[in-house]
Every structure is written in structure tokens, then in C-alpha cells.
Amino acid sequence: MTTVGFLYPGHFAEDDYPRMEILLDSTIRLVVHHTECPDGAYREEALRELGTSSRLAAGIEELQRSGVQSIVWACDGGSFPHGWQGAHDQVAGLARAAGVPASSTSIGFVHAVRKLGAERVAVAAIYPEAVAARFTAFLQETGVEVTATHAAGVTDAAEAAAWGPEQLRELAEAADGPEAQAILLPDTALHTVAHLPDLEEALGKPVLTANQVAVREALRLTDRPAWAPRLGALFAHREEPPAPVDRGSGSARAYAHGQRGRGRAYAHGQRDA
């Protein structure tokens, strides 16, 4: 059994996670803990407050009791405003406190883009323009070329959670263009998992959404291959497990799965996507 954990702010689109658990292998368990979300507004100051070390630490104990092997801060808006280095500092503290590898949805987007082999992406963001621009700048820090950024101008997470498939498709189409090799829809408050096949069929290219990316990132941290075509191109191909590496007596398994010094390395995104 592979058990991975998520720190999710408030109650918006968390039902995406049990849906994904059903679509994934029966030996994968997704555990969600809800962190405090006093303000669901899409203002940069409010978003930064969601990911303070004290709020994240408050959810660690429950996830540890569940036996999670990795943790993802499932709130891209509470991560990317800090920039690439700030986002890594944030999850490094989380990894130290939890004693397991940690990452965030924002960092997971970058790893997902790399996994797809995409060099140019379009950002279809539900956020106000200033917040969407922050996400684009975050991606550009890593060398990802953003061909277009479309901001829908939604001001809070509750409104985002009420969006349906037609609105999602229109959002993605507004950002799409022939140069883009994939479309990114940030924000874990959006219900997207049920609509991934239709979105990709309509656009004719991979679509990456926040909750989908968060799960792939959590599994990546545990070296757990996953295959679920109904979760889009990101999960469409079978991944081979890491090969055993002979490091001497008694240590081959630990090194093959990155378990020595793993918390720091994973928190800083040093493994391949």
C-alpha cells in the first residue's frame, strides 16, 4: 500500500481526491487533511497567509498517524506567490517537521510539465490578473515558456468551486493557441478531475490541473508508478518502477528508492520529474 497525504485549505474541491483514488491502483491511498482557511479571497496577502509554517504544521500529526509516505501542500495559490526559492523553502520546512518527503502543487506543475516533455505552455487561470501573473512568473523562473496567460478574474475560492465543465472548457480555450503544447489550470479549488478527458479531447493536447498534479507529485515523491488514462495525459502511460541499485550489503533497496537523505532532496526538487 502506498499512502500519500495532502494539506488542503478549507473545503472546496476536495472531493476530487476520493475520485482520483478510485481511478488509481487499489493499493494507492490518498489522505486529505484540511488546513485552516480563514479567507478564501484571491488576494496575494491572503494567499500567502494560507501557507504559513504554523498552519501547515497543524496538519502534520494527523497525516503522520495515517502513515503517509509523502506530503503535498495542495494549494498552489499558497505557494507560487513566494517564488521558486520561497516555495522550496516552504516545503523544506514541511519535510523537516513531517519526517517524510514534501512538495507543493506549484512545484508539482513544473515537474508535470517536464514529465510531458512540454517546452511551451499556456496558463488558463481562474485568478485575478495580478495573481495569474505571479503563477506565470513562477513557471518562467524554471525555464518554462508561457505562450499566453488568461485570467478569468474570479475573486474567491468558493466561486471557483462552483464552476462547471463548460466554464472550464471556455477558460482553457481562452488561453490556448497553436504554440502551446499543454494547458495549465492552476487552483485546487476547481473541480477538474471528472472533466479531464473531455478537456483534452476538446483542446487536442494535454491539460494539467491542480488536484491532478498534486496527486502525481505526491506519488513521484514515493517513486510510485501510476497509470490511469481517465486522469489525462499526465497518467496516460505506464511508468516503470525505479531499478534496484547495488550499493553494497543491506543498502540496495534504500538507495534505489531514494530513502537516504530523501526528505531534503525531495523538498528541494532535486529528483527528476
Side-chain angles (χ1 to χ4, degrees), residues 145-234:
E145 181 182 343
V146 179
T147 61
T149 301
H150 176 75
V154 170
T155 58
D156 64 70
E159 183 180 349
W163 273 37
E166 287 301 312
Q167 291 165 299
L168 291 174
R169 182 179 57 79
E170 290 171 4
L171 174 66
E173 289 177 343
D176 190 20
E179 305 88 357
Q181 297 168 316
I183 310 297
L184 277 55
L185 275 69
D187 193 14
T188 55
L190 284 171
H191 290 89
T192 60
V193 169
H195 314 304
L196 280 165
D198 291 339
L199 284 171
E200 292 193 335
E201 182 178 359
L203 295 162
K205 61 187 65 175
V207 174
L208 299 177
T209 68
N211 289 322
Q212 167 215 39
V213 162
V215 169
R216 195 267 165 173
E217 182 71 355
L219 295 173
R220 184 188 72 85
L221 294 179
T222 66
D223 289 326
R224 177 63 157 84
W227 178 70
R230 288 172 63 188
L231 291 179
L234 187 61

